Amino acid sequence: MKGHYSNILCVLSDTHRQDDVIAQAVHIAKSHQATLTLMLSLESLPPNANMVMESFSYIDSQSSMETQAQDWLRNQAEKWEEKYPTQTKVSIGSPLIDIITNVIQYQYDLVIKRAEESFLDRLFGSLDMRLLRKCPCPVWVLHQKCTSQYKNVVAALDLNYHYPKHEISVRKKLNADILRHAIQISLLEFSQLHIVHVFDAVPENIVRDGFITVDNDQMETDLAKIHAEREQALEDLLQALEGELAPDTMDYLKPQKHIVHGYPRREIAATTKSLDTDVIVMGTVARLGVPGFIMGGTAEETMNQLNCAVVGIKPAGFTSPITLADAND
């Protein structure tokens, strides 16, 4: 069975402990029968690098740095060639721009990268987050502890369609795309598929701080209505997708549905952790159709609480703010 991805770019940000990252990228590429390119993407040296690094004769210029990097990557790739054919490339410059312009130029349909582990990266906006915001294709961020096979796959959906009309169709298409990716991963990994949706009738901080008075009986009635509405929205989505899949696919997958009442910024991650999730597939664009609202607070807060791999999906028609022209700047 051929998978969802056909042309994969695996990004390495350094030369430390990358064997498990490459192994996982090979596993994903093999599962999807995709071509695989390993790209070592490094920051360019500062203008005064020769002076600062004078005592390090083995890396005294940009060109020698590139030569060293290419030699290292070539040696790494040779270890995996017997398991799966790979291509290699080295880029030295601005990793964000280099990665995205390569995605555009060579039409990669998936970027794989290991999650950064620095607290400062999370605090000030890591390369991972910037890729999830701006990369035009899906980005698969591996957890620090890579696993050889996924047992539980989560599709995180936003089934709330109480938005302006121009946003609703885009949101529905994004939900369908998230579920398509999750289904493919689940089928190829022989894993359990979970569908998670978290809804909140009244933001809890408003109730907690006493800004409004809530009738508990009426609230329970409203919550039941919302739950039924979201169940129906999910059922409609599954029925629409069933026609695209091979017969009996849904019966084989037996997806488990989790429609949870709670605060989305907390409960999406909490539910995901309770399911012992290996990978979550989720949308990475908030307020669709509103310029500048990329990677909203809920998505970013959720990702910073997760301890599993993340596949970030953009809506159809998303255009990266980075273009091929940026590669020449």
Side-chain angles (χ1 to χ4, degrees):
M1 174 183 176
K2 190 168 176 61
H4 213 74
Y5 313 111
S6 60
N7 192 18
I8 297 174
L9 178 67
C10 175
V11 175
L12 309 175
S13 296
D14 56 51
T15 60
H16 305 295
R17 298 178 289 109
Q18 297 292 358
D19 278 2
D20 54 349
V21 178
I22 298 173
Q24 186 66 14
V26 166
H27 170 74
I28 293 169
K30 189 182 291 187
S31 297
H32 289 261
Q33 299 176 40
T35 60
L36 176 62
T37 300
L38 306 177
M39 177 179 179
L40 179 59
S41 180
L42 303 174
E43 291 273 1
S44 58
L45 295 173
N48 63 341
N50 285 347
M51 185 187 343
V52 174
M53 304 175 74
E54 203 169 23
S55 61
F56 298 93
S57 58
Y58 64 93
I59 187 167
D60 58 3
S61 70
Q62 189 96 343
S63 61
S64 67
M65 176 180 174
E66 188 168 356
T67 300
Q68 296 279 344
Q70 287 172 341
D71 289 345
W72 176 86
L73 185 57
R74 220 174 281 117
N75 290 335
Q76 286 291 107
E78 284 177 4
K79 294 192 294 185
W80 299 103
E81 278 291 334
E82 295 179 6
K83 296 184 178 181
Y84 200 78
T86 60
Q87 302 172 38
T88 62
K89 61 174 66 179
V90 171
S91 74
I92 299 177
S94 167
L96 180 69
I97 292 174
D98 291 345
I99 293 165
I100 291 179
T101 53
N102 267 271
V103 167
I104 296 169
Q105 184 173 358
Y106 298 103
Q107 299 182 328
Y108 294 110
D109 53 16
L110 178 68
V111 169
I112 297 174
K113 186 185 177 301
R114 184 189 213 145
E116 292 167 332
E117 49 192 330
S118 165
F119 173 74
L120 289 177
D121 284 330
R122 290 194 172 196
L123 191 62
F124 294 112
S126 67
L127 175 59
D128 299 347
M129 286 296 186
R130 286 179 287 158
L131 283 172
L132 287 163
R133 292 185 193 109
K134 298 179 180 182
C135 185
C137 72
V139 177
W140 192 321
V141 180
L142 300 173
H143 189 252
Q144 285 294 324
K145 296 179 180 178
C146 297
T147 181
S148 59
Q149 187 173 3
Y150 296 118
K151 296 178 182 177
N152 290 293
V153 177
V154 164
L157 305 182
D158 182 0
L159 299 167
N160 177 10
Y161 299 135
H162 296 277
Y163 286 95
K165 286 184 179 179
H166 69 277
E167 287 192 37
I168 294 173
S169 63
V170 180
R171 286 180 176 276
K172 287 184 175 181
K173 288 177 183 176
L174 179 57
N175 278 331
D177 207 20
I178 290 168
L179 200 46
R180 288 187 189 100
H181 283 259
I183 286 171
Q184 281 286 329
I185 294 169
S186 185
L187 287 172
L188 291 167
E189 296 286 336
F190 303 100
S191 55
Q192 176 62 57
L193 174 63
H194 300 268
I195 302 172
V196 172
H197 168 66
V198 177
F199 69 93
D200 191 11
V202 179
E204 65 175 21
N205 61 307
I206 294 177
V207 176
R208 183 182 62 242
D209 294 337
F211 292 119
I212 61 173
T213 302
V214 176
D215 181 296
N216 288 330
D217 290 339
Q218 184 60 50
M219 174 65 78
E220 290 300 320
T221 301
D222 291 343
L223 289 175
K225 287 180 180 178
I226 294 172
H227 194 283
E229 173 192 85
R230 305 301 161 81
E231 275 190 324
Q232 187 59 54
L234 178 54
E235 198 55 42
D236 292 343
L237 174 58
L238 289 170
Q239 285 183 4
L241 284 180
E242 206 159 357
E244 301 177 8
L245 303 170
D248 302 323
T249 297
M250 284 300 183
D251 288 338
Y252 169 77
L253 283 174
K254 294 182 175 59
Q256 295 184 13
K257 305 166 192 175
H258 311 268
I259 298 179
V260 181
H261 171 234
Y263 190 44
R265 295 189 183 200
R266 181 177 60 235
E267 291 302 328
I268 294 173
T271 303
T272 299
K273 289 177 182 177
S274 73
L275 296 172
D276 196 22
T277 301
D278 295 299
V279 60
I280 179 172
V281 184
M282 61 188 296
T284 60
V285 177
R287 288 313 310 272
L288 305 175
V290 182
F293 281 76
I294 307 299
M295 279 292 290
T298 299
E300 292 205 15
E301 282 194 34
T302 297
M303 289 180 184
N304 281 332
Q305 297 171 62
L306 294 172
N307 56 2
C308 64
V310 176
V311 180
I313 308 295
K314 303 292 193 311
F318 173 82
T319 302
S320 175
I322 294 173
T323 66
L324 286 175
D326 294 310
N328 302 317
D329 291 346

